[in-house]
Amino acid sequence: MAPLIEIISIITSAVIMLIIVQFIIGLLFAFNVVSPSNDFLMQVYRSINALLDPILRPIRRILPDTGAIDFSPLVLIIGLQILDTIIRSLA
């Protein structure tokens, strides 16, 4: 049972890191620190979006529209942390 819990913990940590990287790259593009014409960074950003969009889309449908701010990554991070805590406490 312990290896399964560790695998779930690693996966949740990896998803959280992807969300943080997506957020940072988005900020870099938004504040023109890095140009969106940077092909490498744009490809990394699109790849992370392609991975996270199926997870974030149902959360975005549930949350109210807040304009330019997307709270779905924050909700996902909190949900993953709660899931990880529950699974670790059950073990």
Side-chain angles (χ1 to χ4, degrees), residues 15 18-19 22-23 48-63 70-77 80:
V15 171
L18 281 175
I19 293 170
Q22 177 192 34
F23 176 73
I48 293 173
N49 279 340
L51 287 172
L52 292 178
D53 195 43
I55 303 169
L56 293 173
R57 192 177 314 124
I59 298 171
R60 287 182 182 134
R61 275 189 250 140
I62 294 170
L63 292 177
D70 183 16
F71 287 109
S72 60
L74 179 64
V75 171
L76 181 60
I77 288 174
L80 288 173

Side-chain angles (χ1 to χ4, degrees), residues 5 42 60 73 85:
I5 292 170
M42 185 55 83
R60 287 182 182 134
T85 303

Side-chain angles (χ1 to χ4, degrees), residues 20-39:
I20 293 170
V21 168
Q22 177 192 34
F23 176 73
I24 291 171
I25 293 173
L27 283 178
L28 292 175
F29 286 149
F31 291 111
N32 289 324
V33 175
V34 177
S35 172
S37 63
N38 183 335
D39 291 333

